Amino acid sequence: MNWRVEVAVQTPAHAALGDLLSYSGERTLLAGTLVRVPLGKREVLGVVWGSRPMAEEDAALEFKPLGTALDTLAPLGEAWRDLVAFAARYYQRSLGEIALAALPPQLRDLSGVQLARRLKRQGSAPVVDAGAAGPSAAAAATSDEQADALRRIDAEPGPFLLFGSTGSGKTEVYLQAVAALLARSPAAQALVMVPEINLTPQLEARFRARFEGRFGAGAVVSLHSGMTNPQRLASWLAAHAGTARIVLGTRMAVFASMPALALIVVDEEHDPSYKQQEGARYSARDLAVWRGRREGAKVILGSATPSLESWHQSRPPEGDDPGGRYLRLAMPSRIGAGALPAVRLVDMRLQPSKTVLSGVLLDAIGQRIARGEQSMVFLNRRGYAPVLACGDCGWKSECPHCSAFRVFHKIDRTLRCHHCGFTERVPRACPACGNPDIAPVGRGTERLEEHLGELFASVQRPDGSPVRIARIDADSTRKQGALESQLAAVHAGEVDVLVGTQMIAKGHDFRRITLVAAVNPDGALFSSDFRAPERLFSLLMQSAGRAGRDAAYLAAQGTTAEMWIQTQHTDHPLFIALRRHDYPAFAESELAQRRAAGMPPFAFQALLRADARTQEAAQAFLNAASAAADALEGAQQVARYPAVPLAIQRVANVERAQMLVESASRAALQRLLAQWQPVLHGLRRTPEGKGVIRWLVDVDPQQI
């Protein structure tokens, strides 16, 4: 008997081939089985979604035969397939695109024989019984707040929003919640997610220290894009087989195949890094909540500054309002740390023109150096200067391929575009007029590091040695192992002043830093992006949390922790709330404004984006799509705004435009988007689609 097998494959973008392709097979295959199938002139990996005997109506059709089934690997479970199907449906992508992107890249290239050999070599690490435990780090004593949070996590279904101040011991709650889960069930698995790769190693070290002695060396694995393909495959296979009890990872880990998943932790849940910005633009945080509900796993979202969506979802019942879907657990007190840093605002309107670092801030940093303490200076702009300019003719270092400036990097004397990557050596003279006196305009972390070095060149540390200044940003940490070595130097006290971007502002447990300074945060106060104030408050509060994390050290030094902010708007409500470390007040104020303006979380949005050879072609496609949507069912429930260029409208010689789509009903928005897909595919073949390179739908966009 021949079987018709439905397979999800990664079809070319906008091919409009449908979610599943049909092949003929000589035997039935379980849903979730990996198979190699022909697609055009290639053979690709696919996931079986279902199969049935060939019917009479199938006889007139020609089906390509299935290739090899990789049936030495256990099929991907129903819950995993449901997650993939939901993500594809909600984020308006093809089933195969989501399914294959969720698998480790090396798996796509292995034959059945190679996979079988790999599985045999990897073996199955037995779970080590607690009675045969080796040495492992002991759990820390819990505060009353931590104990109450753990009790409620154990007793109630969740999802939970763990709202804990910086240094309140959220990580210890995660560790003990995972330990309780693994102790109850011999097969249970936990997924712990962090927003960025650079936070994974230190979290991984804590989890390994706590659990490997009890459950064996393979009990904790990592999944993130910084790993090699063989490493990712090994971790994925261990999670899929159930031998890995704990998976630590970034947003991609939300799709890890974990057959016994019972707990999901999303640390720093507010972080925009959880939203994918290329390809399938999914939110790993939101998918984690959906996955927890589908698989009956408890979900803990943790943050000192929760996203306004999560804060709103965790509101308690009041009057006619039944409250949100999340249970809020508060931990306002710091564990083993001093009081939250005192926030000091420096009014830059009172400083001399072009002042970079005010005298009072420099004096405060100098006092810390004299006492052997560490300071951190935060500036969210890498490079030496954002632009190089000629004072005679007005030439600026524009990128020839983007509507943006190339950033001047002094260390390697290059002009580098941070959008398309185009790099050139710095010219000896102005390319337009020949003036040799071209100069940097503005300031990045590289220039700030140099400036601090000049200011403290004559200052000595308590032992008479010169002041040590270090920089951590995407440029200084490019080489393998650079970030780890630089962080180790900070922890060892080998750095007096640390300069960096947001890479250093969150998640790190710097015990000797007693002063944190934000140099130029005002740009986000008046941004066109309505989420900018929320992100700024979060970033500054997270930055402040790096200071004064060791109460014993503060007491020994006889000092207090401080957060300095240089601003021209000292009376702005955001800074007033920040001085009080009052996130609830800031959140309620922002939510009131969003409610009045009809913005998320009180409305639901999507962006339709088009990339084309010209801006006119991109906008013509979007306008035609908007006009075609008028005929769709329920279109009157969804507002469609005029097409506009993106803030940086040209990248790598491609013009970009977008159209905002918004509705008070999530269901109405989803219905329209689903009906719109075939219309958009059809538009590509009309005159309005000429010149359009690609289009995409971004559901719940984080950047507008």
Side-chain angles (χ1 to χ4, degrees):
M1 177 187 294
N2 278 349
W3 295 79
R4 177 169 175 167
V5 184
E6 308 292 340
V7 181
V9 298
Q10 193 159 16
T11 54
H14 309 305
L17 291 177
D19 273 340
L20 299 170
L21 300 183
S22 298
Y23 294 87
S24 65
E26 296 180 352
R27 60 188 176 98
T28 184
L29 291 172
L30 292 174
T33 301
L34 296 180
V35 291
R36 303 202 69 82
V37 295
L39 182 66
K41 296 181 179 179
R42 300 175 296 137
E43 187 177 74
V44 298
L45 185 68
V47 183
V48 173
W49 227 256
S51 57
R52 61 175 174 81
M54 287 283 188
E56 289 184 14
E57 59 268 22
D58 296 328
L61 303 173
E62 288 189 19
F63 295 97
K64 289 186 177 181
L66 282 174
T68 308
L70 308 183
D71 46 13
T72 53
L73 187 71
L76 294 155
E78 182 182 6
W80 184 89
R81 299 195 307 276
D82 286 348
L83 172 68
V84 167
F86 169 77
R89 184 170 65 249
Y90 186 82
Y91 293 106
Q92 304 297 314
R93 311 297 292 198
S94 74
L95 196 62
E97 180 184 12
I98 300 286
L100 273 297
L103 299 176
Q106 195 175 27
L107 198 57
R108 304 175 201 179
D109 302 322
L110 296 181
S111 67
V113 173
Q114 290 171 320
L115 179 59
R117 191 181 301 131
R118 181 64 187 260
L119 289 169
K120 184 177 180 180
R121 186 167 67 244
Q122 183 151 339
S124 57
V127 174
V128 179
D129 184 77
S136 59
T142 55
S143 67
D144 291 343
E145 292 171 2
Q146 289 174 313
D148 183 61
L150 287 164
R151 179 186 58 78
R152 297 184 70 182
I153 290 169
D154 184 60
E156 302 181 51
F160 304 94
L161 177 64
L162 185 60
F163 170 50
S165 67
T166 52
S168 63
K170 293 186 293 294
T171 303
E172 185 62 33
V173 171
Y174 305 152
L175 287 161
Q176 294 203 27
V178 170
L181 167 79
L182 301 189
R184 280 195 303 268
S185 170
Q189 294 175 293
L191 171 62
V192 181
M193 295 168 59
V194 294
E196 295 184 28
I197 292 171
N198 66 62
L199 299 182
T200 307
Q202 69 181 52
L203 191 70
E204 184 177 16
R206 291 190 66 177
F207 271 85
R208 288 192 186 281
R210 186 69 61 90
F211 295 108
E212 283 193 344
R214 177 179 298 177
F215 298 106
V220 182
V221 300
S222 292
L223 269 178
H224 56 76
S225 59
M227 302 168 71
T228 65
N229 283 344
Q231 288 172 333
R232 280 174 63 179
L233 178 61
S235 292
W236 187 90
L237 290 173
H240 179 63
T243 56
R245 306 295 303 280
I246 302 163
V247 174
L248 305 175
T250 51
R251 61 175 176 261
M252 68 162 61
V254 76
F255 288 110
S257 174
M258 302 176 69
L261 182 63
L263 175 67
I264 304 175
V265 174
V266 184
D267 191 27
E268 308 292 0
E269 66 83 30
H270 64 277
D271 199 291
S273 298
Y274 283 120
K275 183 72 157 71
Q276 172 81 359
Q277 293 299 331
E278 298 293 335
R281 302 191 170 205
Y282 62 87
S283 165
R285 178 199 64 202
D286 296 347
L287 286 179
V289 174
W290 190 93
R291 185 174 186 179
R293 186 168 65 246
R294 165 63 181 81
E295 300 193 37
K298 294 192 178 186
V299 178
I300 305 172
L301 310 177
S303 178
T305 53
S307 65
L308 291 182
E309 287 83 359
S310 295
W311 186 258
H312 182 64
Q313 282 292 356
S314 68
R315 68 193 185 281
E318 185 177 350
D320 294 334
D321 184 357
R325 294 185 295 118
Y326 303 167
L327 179 64
R328 189 183 301 169
L329 308 174
M331 296 198 315
S333 305
R334 297 183 110 185
I335 302 295
L340 286 165
V343 177
R344 306 194 183 284
L345 302 178
V346 181
D347 193 339
M348 297 304 286
R349 293 169 295 187
L350 306 180
Q351 301 294 319
S353 176
K354 297 184 179 179
T355 296
V356 178
L357 295 166
S358 61
V360 286
L361 174 57
L362 288 172
D363 181 59
I365 295 174
Q367 291 179 32
R368 308 283 163 164
I369 293 171
R371 293 196 296 264
E373 300 167 18
Q374 294 175 314
S375 300
M376 186 175 96
V377 183
F378 164 70
L379 175 64
N380 211 19
R381 177 183 286 158
R382 62 191 173 100
Y384 187 83
V387 64
L388 208 59
C390 173
D392 284 359
C393 71
W395 171 87
K396 292 182 177 64
S397 55
E398 293 182 35
C399 176
H401 310 296
C402 307
S403 52
F405 295 111
R406 284 175 292 166
V407 175
F408 172 42
H409 290 259
K410 187 176 181 180
I411 287 179
D412 58 2
R413 301 291 299 174
T414 60
L415 292 174
R416 192 181 308 155
C417 179
H418 289 176
H419 300 281
C420 73
F422 179 68
T423 303
E424 280 186 331
R425 298 287 297 173
V426 172
R428 294 182 179 276
C430 173
C433 71
N435 172 27
D437 190 19
I438 51 177
V441 178
R443 196 169 298 269
T445 49
E446 193 181 313
R447 192 176 188 185
L448 183 59
E449 178 191 22
E450 179 184 273
H451 186 55
L452 281 164
E454 294 167 351
L455 291 170
F456 289 106
S458 60
V459 177
Q460 292 183 334
R461 302 178 63 249
D463 62 2
S465 61
V467 174
R468 301 162 302 183
I469 298 171
R471 171 171 54 91
I472 294 181
D473 56 25
D475 297 314
S476 70
T477 57
R478 285 186 175 184
K479 293 182 180 178
Q480 184 100 20
L483 177 61
E484 290 77 7
S485 63
Q486 288 175 316
L487 290 175
V490 179
H491 288 299
E494 298 168 4
V495 173
D496 300 304
V497 182
L498 176 62
V499 179
T501 57
Q502 65 179 3
M503 284 179 69
I504 62 173
K506 49 196 174 184
H508 301 291
D509 191 17
F510 299 126
R511 310 302 290 181
R512 303 186 192 188
I513 285 181
T514 58
L515 181 147
V516 173
V519 175
N520 184 23
D522 286 352
L525 294 176
F526 309 104
S527 168
S528 58
D529 186 345
F530 68 89
R531 286 190 173 88
E534 175 188 358
R535 289 189 183 132
L536 176 61
F537 188 92
S538 171
L539 198 52
L540 292 177
M541 202 158 175
Q542 293 283 338
S543 300
R546 298 317 105 207
R549 296 180 72 88
D550 190 334
Y553 180 73
L554 291 175
Q557 294 291 109
T559 189
T560 56
E562 293 179 335
M563 169 71 175
W564 289 70
I565 300 173
Q566 296 190 156
T567 175
Q568 297 194 30
H569 306 278
T570 54
D571 55 351
H572 194 283
L574 185 148
F575 293 131
I576 293 172
L578 191 68
R579 290 189 73 172
R580 300 195 303 263
H581 299 280
D582 194 349
Y583 173 80
F586 169 78
E588 294 309 320
S589 171
E590 283 290 304
L591 284 170
Q593 293 181 42
R594 293 205 192 171
R595 187 192 298 271
M599 290 181 172
F602 306 102
F604 304 94
Q605 296 178 331
L607 282 175
L608 176 61
R609 248 188 60 182
D611 295 350
R613 297 297 179 196
T614 65
Q615 185 64 216
E616 292 75 20
Q619 293 196 32
F621 176 80
L622 296 177
N623 290 328
S626 181
D630 286 332
L632 301 178
E633 183 182 349
Q636 67 279 1
Q637 294 178 264
V638 181
R640 301 182 302 283
Y641 294 89
V644 294
L646 267 71
I648 298 177
Q649 69 179 56
R650 180 168 53 93
V651 171
N653 294 321
V654 173
E655 292 284 340
R656 311 184 303 167
Q658 65 185 16
M659 179 171 63
L660 180 63
V661 185
E662 188 176 71
S663 177
S665 165
R666 191 195 300 272
L669 178 62
Q670 282 290 318
R671 280 195 298 270
L672 180 82
L673 294 177
Q675 295 177 74
W676 221 0
Q677 284 284 337
V679 174
L680 293 168
H681 283 298
L683 274 175
R684 285 293 302 277
R685 297 185 289 272
T686 67
E688 289 84 356
K690 188 176 181 181
V692 173
I693 300 169
R694 67 186 73 88
W695 57 266
L696 63 88
V697 176
D698 185 358
V699 181
D700 300 334
Q702 292 297 300
Q703 296 178 341
I704 298 178

